[in-house]
Amino acid sequence: MNNWVGMTEEQAGIVQKARKRVIESIGKNMDLYGVTLSTGHLYGMMFFQDKPMTLDEMGEEMGMSKTSMSTGVRTLTDLKMVHKVWEKGTRKDLYEVEPDWYQTFADFFVIKWQKSIEMNVQALRKSAAELKRLAESDPDNEALQNIVATDTRKLEEAIRYYLWLGRLIDTFESGEIFNLVPKEESQADSH
């Protein structure tokens, strides 16, 4: 995994244990967002690498097949958490983790929530249109009009929420979110 030269076996063991804890945590966290546990573990393992890795190296490190690694890397690439890099003299594809966790979160948030917004707003608008047509078909039915009016207000409020969420997503895409909620300054930046 890394160069352990210059460390005692005990020191290397402590480092490995600390890394394993973080890798497990990353895997569980990503699982909450619909990314498989093994793909989360792959991301965690790659996070601790000092250099880009090939699918073969990932498979060897993770004890998994190249096919599994390819699927995991494709998922991570689609989420913009890992990207392909070029290295002179290497024919195999190399991948590395996006080092900016703030940008990784922003990209992940945008990708996941945009799909949700589109799907939900479409369903809400379609239902609102159907209810409107239903109400227009029997304007003298007071019970129907009351139910349609109540449901329509609920649908309109939900649509307003998704439009707000869309504006929030815009702040992530533009980077404006970091003006509203500044990034933590790293120790390296403060010296």
Side-chain angles (χ1 to χ4, degrees), residues 24-35 37 108:
E24 285 293 323
S25 178
I26 289 171
K28 288 176 186 173
N29 184 52
M30 289 177 69
D31 189 48
L32 294 171
Y33 295 99
V35 176
L37 186 63
F108 185 82

Side-chain angles (χ1 to χ4, degrees), residues 3 6 24 33 39 61 74 77 100 130 133 135 147 168 174-175 179 189:
N3 188 353
E24 285 293 323
Y33 295 99
T39 299
E61 188 70 40
R74 188 175 324 108
T77 302
D100 184 346
E130 288 173 355
R133 283 192 300 275
I147 287 175
L168 177 62
S174 69
N179 296 330
D189 293 341

Side-chain angles (χ1 to χ4, degrees), residues 64 67 92 95 158:
M64 296 170 70
T67 303
K92 293 186 178 187
Y95 300 90

Side-chain angles (χ1 to χ4, degrees), residues 166-186:
R167 291 192 311 274
L168 177 62
I169 286 171
D170 291 344
T171 68
F172 278 86
E173 282 190 306
S174 69
E176 183 184 345
I177 189 70
F178 302 119
N179 296 330
L180 302 170
V181 184
K183 297 177 184 182
E184 292 291 321
E185 189 176 307
S186 75

Side-chain angles (χ1 to χ4, degrees), residues 4-177:
W4 303 106
V5 176
M7 280 192 253
T8 67
E9 195 171 311
E10 180 183 2
Q11 291 168 331
I14 292 170
V15 171
Q16 288 173 323
K17 183 178 177 183
R19 286 179 175 187
K20 184 176 181 183
R21 184 181 307 112
V22 171
I23 291 168
E24 285 293 323
S25 178
I26 289 171
K28 288 176 186 173
N29 184 52
M30 289 177 69
D31 189 48
L32 294 171
Y33 295 99
V35 176
T36 65
L37 186 63
S38 62
T39 299
H41 288 163
L42 172 61
Y43 176 82
M45 182 273 301
M46 290 178 71
F47 172 70
F48 286 110
Q49 296 303 307
D50 299 343
K51 62 179 183 58
M53 299 180 77
T54 66
L55 292 175
D56 291 330
E57 290 169 331
M58 291 175 215
E60 188 177 310
E61 188 70 40
M62 298 282 295
M64 296 170 70
S65 71
K66 186 176 179 178
T67 303
S68 295
M69 293 301 95
S70 180
T71 301
V73 166
R74 188 175 324 108
T75 298
L76 294 170
T77 302
D78 290 347
L79 293 171
K80 299 182 181 181
M81 298 177 78
V82 167
H83 55 270
K84 194 186 294 192
V85 294
W86 179 83
E87 203 171 273
K88 186 176 180 179
T90 305
R91 286 195 224 173
K92 293 186 178 187
D93 290 337
L94 292 164
Y95 300 90
E96 67 182 4
V97 167
E98 168 56 51
D100 184 346
W101 278 30
Y102 297 94
Q103 190 59 51
T104 296
F105 173 78
D107 290 339
F108 185 82
F109 180 85
V110 167
I111 290 166
K112 290 295 185 180
W113 279 100
Q114 275 181 333
K115 290 177 186 174
S116 175
I117 289 172
E118 291 167 12
M119 181 178 61
N120 288 318
V121 168
Q122 182 180 14
L124 290 163
R125 287 185 171 150
K126 183 175 182 176
S127 293
E130 288 173 355
L131 291 176
K132 181 181 178 188
R133 283 192 300 275
L134 179 61
E136 289 169 350
S137 73
D138 194 357
D140 298 328
N141 184 332
E142 190 174 330
L144 174 66
Q145 295 301 319
N146 288 337
I147 287 175
V148 167
T150 299
D151 283 5
T152 299
R153 279 192 298 276
K154 290 177 181 179
L155 296 175
E156 288 170 352
E157 188 59 35
I159 289 169
R160 277 192 292 280
Y161 161 74
Y162 284 111
L163 295 176
W164 170 84
L165 189 56
R167 291 192 311 274
L168 177 62
I169 286 171
D170 291 344
T171 68
F172 278 86
E173 282 190 306
S174 69
E176 183 184 345
I177 189 70

